Amino acid sequence: MTTVTEKIVMERMTNEECPMEKCDELYFENTKDQRAKWNSRLEYILSLVGFCVGFGNLWRFPYICNRNGGGAFLLPFLLCLLIIGFPVFFLEVSLSQFSGRGTPRVWSFCPMFKGVGVGALAMYVICIPYYNILLAWPIYYMVKSCSRILPWTTCGNSWNTDLCVEDVRNITFNSNMTAQNDNRTVSQRWENVTLAHTAAEEFWQYNVLSVSRGLEEVGSVQWHIVGCLFASYVIIFVCMIRGVKSVGKAVYVTAIVPYILLIIIFISTLMQPGAGSGLLYFVTPDFGKLLDVQVWLEASLQVMYSLGLGWGTIGTASSYNKFHEPCLKDAIIVSTISEGTSIFAGLVTFAILGVMSEKTGVHISKVVSSGPGLGFVAYPEALVQLPVPQLWSFLFFLMLLTVGLDSQFMNVEVISTAIVDRYPNVLSRKRHLVTAGICVVCFLAGILLCTQGGPYIFQLLDWYISALSVFLFCTLECVSVVYFYGVRQMGKDVEMMLGKPLPTIVKILWAFVIPAVLLMAFLLTLLRYQPPTYGKYSFPGYASVIGWFIASVSIIPLPIYIILAVKKHMASHTFTESIQMALRPEDAWRPSDPLYRKAYRDNLVDAKYSFKDHLKSVFRK
């Protein structure tokens, strides 16, 4: 029901003297508690856990950990979590909870760098269609798991080649070819991809993907995947029809079910021979790896990507918090659960691969893989070794689906919130239409990834989409808060919400450690760049040009908004004054709780503080 206050505001907004941007600010200023809130703190935490715990935790971390020293990798990983992951996570949470603003409106505290928020939106416009294909594949596997005989366990199907192999221990080709005089070891047969294609690999490459010969050959649309993609968007829309109110209910299932299924699969796997060997292989430390700078770089990358830092999702979710939500505790809880899940997933993965190694006679180092190859080839092959493989396969792919769903909930919510926040007086009561529009547009864009050339496009996007922006955005977040907005003022904002001062160690990390570490990681990433590959396929030269364009799309808004922010004040101020004003908070920047707005304005720290003053504030309590 529309209140009297809302009616007065709406009448003022219809006046010809009220421009659209002023109307939107007026709507936020004069209508109390218009923004929806999470029903409970638990729903907020589960939503963020669901977002942070994604496919990377299940099939990237185990591989990265094993490749970079096994148990020894946990040292740089946990250190990067403490000095980068948690502080940046807390920074993004506190800014949005304080202001009640998502990306990019939260950048009102430093309008010159509003391009960071717009760049994050640009990443999501590209990310959502390509990420959702990862939901379509598990749905297809779930359907096929209901078959009497799992199709990835046999050769002789319409999609299999003459070189299909059902069992590398006793090779039987799907043709008149024979293995006579083949004296190669099992390990050699496994590695020789020219002669030994497992049934699971051929099902993945030639049935699910029907992959073409290269990027330049787009091929036909795979309608079975299109149907699964459509089903995934229907699920997303239904779960998000009421925004955070309905998402908060959905995550009770999508955030909790993966843990239940992981535990069930883990316990069942431990009962099989070879599981212990797999666990031992995973945790055995190689401390010599710690001397390699690449190990530390990959540890920082894993922490940033698994927590979703710099993408704007954490802030968007936190903008729906109550003003006094204990965000410091929430940041600790979510980051700990997310990265703890990575470690547990590593144990589950290597237990399964240990069982697979035991039954095939192939050393575990030869069956370790990363990315979709682990999720859709190695895992299905391993689960076949368990009793009632149809059940375990269905449960595993259900787990993959739920893991991806709650991540995608928040991805879509970022775009939806940005659109609704831009035109709140028009769209605040039509959020379901905004969500439907996003799902339709992304579904249509995602059809390109359902073609035979789609896997190459997917790999190209995955390789470049956040290659540059994440490091840059997180660095600018810290620099703008500490040196432009002022760490002293940020400390007052946090104290207003939590009733406790900002810890000095957090201020030091924001001011010095994180910018230095991320800048170094950014430079190392550029210096160690390698062109993308897909298996043994090498992309043509022009693919790198396309890839770097994709990587720069999210950075392009940054200089544009810097110029616009300065130009806005040039009419009545000098160039130097315009820069200074572009670095100051806008009038619209204020606490989300109206009860604290007057106190905030009265106690606002003078924006003319120098760089030296901001630097001294880092060490003041």
Side-chain angles (χ1 to χ4, degrees), residues 113-425:
F113 295 112
K114 205 168 189 176
V116 172
V118 177
L121 290 181
M123 281 198 295
Y124 273 117
V125 170
I126 300 172
C127 174
I128 292 175
Y130 111 87
Y131 188 90
N132 227 69
I133 198 71
L134 291 171
L135 304 183
W137 294 335
I139 291 176
Y140 184 67
Y141 270 85
M142 285 171 63
V143 173
K144 292 298 183 180
S145 294
C146 298
S147 305
R148 187 174 62 86
I149 298 177
L150 294 176
W152 53 84
T153 62
T154 62
C155 295
N157 301 291
S158 59
W159 59 83
N160 290 124
T161 68
D162 290 340
L163 299 175
C164 178
V165 176
E166 293 183 6
D167 190 342
V168 294
R169 292 171 297 180
N170 183 22
I171 289 187
T172 303
F173 293 107
N174 179 35
S175 72
N176 293 326
M177 294 179 64
T178 67
Q180 293 178 357
N181 301 320
D182 189 350
N183 296 318
R184 291 170 300 149
T185 65
V186 171
S187 181
Q188 289 172 330
R189 293 169 182 170
W190 183 277
E191 294 179 86
N192 193 334
V193 295
T194 304
L195 294 179
H197 294 272
T198 66
E201 183 181 4
E202 292 210 348
F203 178 79
W204 166 243
Q205 295 288 357
Y206 305 135
N207 180 281
V208 179
L209 303 180
S210 191
V211 63
S212 66
R213 288 174 294 183
L215 179 65
E216 61 282 352
E217 187 179 326
V218 176
S220 60
V221 175
Q222 304 304 296
W223 292 107
H224 58 288
I225 300 300
V226 173
C228 295
L229 183 67
F230 179 78
S232 68
Y233 277 109
V234 170
I235 296 172
I236 291 170
F237 172 72
V238 170
C239 292
M240 297 189 63
I241 195 167
R242 294 179 57 237
V244 294
K245 294 293 185 181
S246 55
V247 168
K249 300 295 185 244
V251 293
Y252 281 110
V253 176
T254 57
I256 295 176
V257 165
Y259 289 98
I260 297 174
L261 297 178
L262 264 180
I263 292 171
I264 293 173
I265 292 172
F266 186 51
I267 293 174
S268 177
T269 305
L270 287 178
M271 298 177 183
Q272 304 297 315
S277 300
L279 293 176
L280 184 63
Y281 185 85
F282 175 62
V283 300
T284 300
D286 179 4
F287 291 105
K289 291 279 190 179
L290 297 181
L291 300 177
D292 187 355
V293 68
Q294 182 69 23
V295 172
W296 294 85
L297 176 61
E298 294 207 20
S300 63
L301 282 169
Q302 178 63 28
V303 167
M304 295 191 68
Y305 289 144
S306 61
L307 289 178
L309 304 177
W311 285 75
T313 310
I314 297 168
T316 297
S318 303
S319 69
Y320 294 103
N321 272 348
K322 295 176 182 177
F323 189 72
H324 294 295
E325 177 77 23
C327 54
L328 181 60
K329 291 181 181 178
D330 293 346
I332 295 173
I333 291 171
V334 174
S335 55
T336 301
I337 293 176
S338 173
E339 304 317 290
T341 302
S342 295
I343 297 172
F344 178 60
L347 297 174
V348 177
T349 298
F350 275 83
I352 291 176
L353 294 179
V355 173
M356 187 176 183
S357 174
E358 177 75 17
K359 295 198 174 185
T360 60
V362 179
H363 191 269
I364 193 170
S365 62
K366 306 300 181 184
V367 297
V368 175
S369 60
S370 178
L374 176 62
F376 298 102
V377 178
Y379 263 124
E381 286 180 327
L383 292 172
V384 168
Q385 313 298 330
L386 300 177
V388 196
Q390 288 86 350
L391 174 62
W392 295 114
S393 295
F394 185 88
L395 291 177
F396 171 73
F397 290 112
L398 175 62
M399 180 191 67
L400 284 188
L401 177 62
T402 54
V403 163
L405 275 175
D406 40 22
S407 295
Q408 194 72 316
F409 288 158
M410 298 312 303
N411 294 346
V412 174
E413 185 61 37
V414 170
I415 303 294
S416 176
T417 296
I419 296 173
V420 173
D421 281 0
R422 182 64 184 87
Y423 306 104
N425 56 314

Side-chain angles (χ1 to χ4, degrees), residues 1-11 13 27 30-32 34 429:
M1 182 178 293
T2 305
T3 65
V4 174
T5 305
E6 290 178 24
K7 290 180 179 178
I8 294 174
V9 173
M10 294 298 291
E11 289 176 3
M13 288 191 295
Y27 188 83
N30 293 280
T31 55
K32 184 179 179 180
Q34 281 296 307
R429 299 182 184 278

Side-chain angles (χ1 to χ4, degrees), residues 465-484:
I465 189 169
S466 57
L468 303 176
S469 53
V470 170
F471 291 114
L472 182 61
F473 289 174
C474 289
T475 302
L476 288 176
E477 284 176 3
C478 294
V479 169
S480 58
V481 165
V482 173
Y483 301 110
F484 302 136

